[in-house]
Amino acid sequence: MARVRRAEVRERVLAAAAGVFAEKGIAAARMADVAAAAGFTRGAVYSNFANKAELVAAVVDAASDRVAARGAAVFDPAVAPSALPDSLGALVAGGPLVDRRLALELAVQASRDPGLRATLAEPRRRQRRVVAEAITAYAAARGLTPPVRADVLAAVLLALVTSLTIERLVDPDGLPAEALRHALAPLLPA
């Protein structure tokens, strides 16, 4: 049997940890649960992450990068301004369920845990920077002026996406796509 590369082990452990944290909650999840979900021993998990706090921080970084990339992709200059509300609506409605549940779990845990709150701060700032840069590039490429500064718009849009994602987790049919499109349209460059 071929040996699995260290980078692949790390990626599989991160993916498994995101799933376990989203399903069981960070507090209830054990490193043994993560190892089992990844298909490795606890030793493989601990050879990549010294402890659960380090694993949580790495999961936060990876999840944050995924959110930033999806958020920035909304502002692809090839997307017409009239399509932006639908693209943002797809961002709220789409994405892997594990990422949406993980976002909710991280928010809940961070409200109770100052250490996790500190761990989340820089990745969240990075998300806002990446999306703000995408908004700025989009507006420049399209000759548009955003209704507010790009950094403020990025923060508001990411907060709305997070809140609406939580709302859709609780009540998937409670927010029709049309209502979402109308709510987001005034915030976007046109």
Side-chain angles (χ1 to χ4, degrees):
M1 184 171 187
R3 185 176 167 103
V4 180
R5 291 184 358 246
R6 184 172 176 87
E8 183 182 336
V9 170
R10 183 177 174 83
E11 289 307 310
R12 283 175 49 188
V13 168
L14 283 172
V20 170
F21 295 159
E23 185 64 32
K24 290 187 169 200
I26 293 169
R30 299 173 311 135
M31 295 295 265
D33 299 327
V34 173
F40 295 118
T41 64
R42 285 187 314 175
V45 174
Y46 281 109
S47 73
N48 283 276
F49 304 98
N51 53 44
K52 189 161 108 175
E54 188 177 301
L55 177 58
V56 169
V59 167
V60 165
D61 274 344
S64 180
D65 289 347
R66 287 190 303 273
V67 169
R70 287 196 304 263
V74 167
F75 294 97
D76 179 336
V79 175
S82 61
L84 286 177
D86 289 330
S87 294
L88 275 171
L91 186 63
V92 171
L97 180 59
V98 67
D99 281 354
R100 292 182 277 150
R101 284 184 172 167
L102 180 62
L104 177 58
E105 173 60 18
L106 288 168
V108 169
Q109 280 300 115
S111 73
R112 297 184 193 116
D113 179 349
L116 181 57
R117 201 167 30 253
T119 297
L120 283 170
E122 180 50 37
R124 297 291 291 229
R125 289 182 192 117
R126 193 171 59 240
Q127 283 178 7
R128 291 190 298 267
R129 278 192 305 270
V130 167
V131 174
E133 289 166 4
I135 291 167
T136 299
Y138 181 87
R142 289 280 183 166
L144 302 171
T145 303
V148 296
R149 284 189 345 242
D151 61 325
V152 173
L153 182 55
V156 168
L157 290 175
L158 285 167
L160 276 172
V161 166
T162 299
S163 296
L164 294 170
T165 296
I166 291 168
E167 187 63 29
R168 289 189 60 94
L169 280 171
V170 173
D171 183 7
D173 300 322
L175 185 63
E178 185 67 17
L180 181 59
R181 189 174 68 70
H182 287 300
L184 294 171
L187 298 174
L188 299 169

